[in-house]
Amino acid sequence: MAASDASPHYQEPGRFTRYVFNPSIAWLTRRGISVWGSRELRVPILRAYLKRWKAEVGVFFDGVSAKSSEADLIRIAPDHPVFRIDNA
């Protein structure tokens, strides 16, 4: 069976990992301390996305545009998981 034919698999982390280990690593990483190569994926780039594609997708953003306030972008961000990964 090809890898693409396999059903998705998710193994839920245990309580220690979820509530102690992961938050601790995230806290250190945000403060510039990389643990085993840890990195933080920062999102949203909504402002740049809206600047480029507002004419095509604007109807889906509740009146928020590239010129909207940071608070407006933060408010709509959970409904629009748009991100870009750059290979630095």
Side-chain angles (χ1 to χ4, degrees):
M1 171 173 20
S4 62
D5 295 337
S7 62
H9 175 74
Y10 174 73
Q11 184 171 347
E12 188 171 337
R15 291 179 63 83
F16 176 78
T17 300
R18 179 180 287 171
Y19 297 109
V20 178
F21 185 75
N22 285 349
S24 298
I25 298 302
W27 186 86
L28 290 168
T29 301
R30 285 186 196 110
R31 282 148 186 83
I33 302 168
S34 177
V35 180
W36 296 304
S38 62
R39 299 290 186 269
E40 180 180 30
L41 175 63
R42 294 189 182 204
V43 179
I45 59 163
L46 283 175
R47 190 177 307 281
Y49 180 78
L50 287 169
K51 186 175 183 180
R52 172 66 175 93
W53 297 105
K54 174 70 169 157
E56 290 85 354
V57 299
V59 67
F60 303 110
F61 287 87
D62 301 324
V64 175
S65 72
K67 295 180 181 180
S68 294
S69 69
E70 190 74 13
D72 283 337
L73 289 170
I74 290 170
R75 177 179 55 81
I76 67 162
D79 296 328
H80 306 282
V82 177
F83 61 93
R84 176 178 68 199
I85 298 175
D86 287 325
N87 187 8

